[in-house]
Amino acid sequence: MYFIANWKMFGDLRTLNSLDKVIKFSKTDKKKKFKLIYCPPNTLIRPLSKRLKKTKIEVGAQNCHESDNPGAYTGHVNSKMLKNVGAKYLILGHSENRQAGENDKLINLKVKSGIKAGLKVIFCIGETLKEKKNKKTNQVLARQIKRGLKSIKKKSKLIIAYEPVWSIGTGLIPKPEDLIKTVSFIKKKLGKTSPKVLYGGSVNSVSVSQLKDISSIDGFLIGGASQDPKKFIDIIKKIYN
Ligand code: PEP
């Protein structure tokens, strides 16, 4: 089961000290039941990978530029650069970036560049509240999958994160019966190549109780609650207790 921390634009070098608790906790997982991945801001990828070197916790990035080659793109980094400083995973298509203007075509280029660089892509999809109210969820997800993963052959190597936009940072989560249906729809769409499908959106140690029995979910992408080691550990403990 995956537990992926999306730190967004939070954290500095001092924040890394707080991870000792999580490192200690990860060592209790003798049966390798869970996989922990931290996706900090780019500034922390290198120091975090160094700190986690002798642990089973891995590091990822939160976005990249779509160009495989270096170039005059002020303020950007590409997937090769992220790999070079220690990232093994790459979140793409996050709704915060879609809302900032990233479209399916651009995300598709990024997915290709991430795969080419040897990163494991965490591909985020999800509907807005308006789309949900208009009963467009499946239509939106189908479009995001079709266009965002166009020409991607080894889809089984991806991780899909279903993150309803209306759920991110709001404290709202889908009804378990709706989530079961949506995850099943996503898995069907991806057919026999089906990758792991995670849920993300307001997961915390309370909401996770409503999600933990949904066996089709392969893990969680966690934003806010992942910045506090205790809250992050509590979520994992709730799953296994
Ligand atoms: C996210 O941003 O990917 C996310 C799931 O955020 P939160 O857990 O804070 O809703």
Side-chain angles (χ1 to χ4, degrees), residues 136-229:
K136 293 269 187 327
T137 299
N138 288 357
Q139 195 182 318
V140 170
L141 299 179
R143 191 208 69 222
Q144 290 173 338
I145 291 171
K146 187 170 179 224
R147 297 191 188 161
L149 299 183
K150 194 174 170 203
S151 317
I152 305 295
K153 295 215 170 61
K154 290 186 181 157
K155 293 196 184 63
S156 59
K157 294 227 177 334
L158 302 166
I159 296 172
I160 308 292
Y162 169 55
E163 299 205 304
V165 182
W166 51 271
S167 176
I168 294 179
T170 59
L172 302 170
I173 58 164
K175 288 188 194 133
E177 60 270 29
D178 290 345
L179 192 48
I180 291 169
K181 280 189 202 144
T182 306
V183 170
S184 149
F185 175 79
I186 294 168
K187 291 198 168 179
K188 268 198 205 114
K189 269 275 142 215
L190 290 153
K192 55 181 183 328
T193 58
S194 187
K196 302 280 181 212
V197 178
L198 318 186
Y199 168 75
S202 294
V203 177
N204 56 44
S205 60
V206 178
S207 66
V208 80
S209 313
Q210 293 176 57
L211 304 164
K212 62 184 264 201
D213 295 326
I214 305 179
S215 59
S216 53
I217 294 179
D218 302 299
F220 300 95
L221 179 54
I222 305 162
S226 72
Q227 288 153 30
D228 177 332

Side-chain angles (χ1 to χ4, degrees), residues 127-144:
E127 82 285 4
T128 62
L129 187 58
K130 189 170 171 213
E131 289 161 344
K132 177 182 159 59
K133 282 187 177 158
N134 290 336
K135 306 208 179 324
K136 293 269 187 327
T137 299
N138 288 357
Q139 195 182 318
V140 170
L141 299 179
R143 191 208 69 222
Q144 290 173 338

